[in-house]
Structures are given as C-alpha cells and as structure tokens.
Amino acid sequence: MMDVERLYDMLKKVQEPKGYYFNSDKKKVFELLEGLLINRERYGYMACPCRLACGDREWDRDITCPCVYREPDVKEYGSCYCNLYVSADWNDGKIAHVYVPERRTIEKIMGKL
C-alpha cells in the first residue's frame, strides 16, 4: 500500500499548479489521505473518505477524489466538502471557514445503500 507521505507529495505536486492546496492542518490532511488509501484498498479506487461509497466504481465516480464537487465547492466556499482541498485564500484566513454543504444528490447518497 502507498504510504500517506508519498501520496501527499504526489497530489500536492499535481494539484497546486491547478490552484488546489491542501488544508494547512497537516494532521487533518494526513487523516483524510489515510482514508483515501483505505478506500482504495477496500474498493479499488480512492473514494472520498467523508462520504459513503457503495463499492461500485461507476456509481461512485462523482465522489472519487478529487470529486466532481471540489471545483464548485472551492470556488464558492474556498474549501471542498471534507476540507482536504482549499484555496490559498482559505489557508491564509482571507475566507471564512464555513460549513460546505453536501452537493451530492439524495438519489446518489441513498441509491446503492
């Protein structure tokens, strides 16, 4: 299994040029990355650790990290739903750290449970 530090370095290198930064709370980031790795072992893909995956890759495509909700969440709130990816302004305290509501539809949440 890939180690968390390696995943952190790899994703940071790929995502920062796109304007997506890891939360400055590195402990929280490492916990979330550990959840991604656990989900990859469990399901074969890195489903968001803050949501319930069903194990069907196609059904869970919208919550495979980085999820499809990340871009609108970061654009509107400065952070994704689980606070893994944030904007530079969010990390710098220029944007209030508010609750990011779930964008996934109830049908997606309940459909395969």
Side-chain angles (χ1 to χ4, degrees):
M1 186 159 106
M2 180 183 287
D3 102 327
V4 174
E5 189 79 43
R6 208 167 121 223
L7 181 60
Y8 176 88
D9 292 340
M10 183 184 72
L11 292 176
K12 184 175 172 134
K13 189 183 306 181
V14 171
Q15 298 303 325
E16 281 191 359
K18 298 176 183 177
Y20 298 104
Y21 300 88
F22 282 131
N23 186 326
S24 58
D25 181 347
K26 202 166 181 181
K27 182 179 185 286
K28 179 178 180 111
V29 169
F30 274 48
E31 288 171 358
L32 291 166
L33 293 177
E34 182 67 34
L36 286 173
L37 291 173
I38 288 167
N39 282 344
R40 188 172 74 181
E41 283 289 309
R42 183 180 293 149
Y43 304 118
Y45 53 94
M46 292 196 302
C48 176
C50 298
R51 295 178 166 106
L52 271 179
C54 72
D56 178 329
R57 182 186 296 266
E58 191 54 40
W59 186 265
D60 289 337
R61 186 168 302 283
D62 64 319
I63 60 168
T64 301
C65 191
C67 74
V68 300
Y69 311 107
R70 177 185 72 170
E71 184 177 343
D73 285 350
V74 173
K75 187 176 201 168
E76 187 172 348
Y77 300 101
S79 170
C80 70
Y81 180 70
C82 62
N83 302 136
L84 176 63
Y85 288 108
V86 301
S87 67
D89 285 347
W90 193 93
N91 263 344
D92 292 341
K94 296 176 184 172
I95 294 175
H97 296 186
V98 298
Y99 173 76
V100 178
E102 174 64 271
R103 290 182 192 266
R104 198 171 200 217
T105 65
I106 194 71
E107 292 78 20
K108 283 295 262 185
I109 293 168
M110 302 301 291
K112 288 276 187 166
L113 295 179

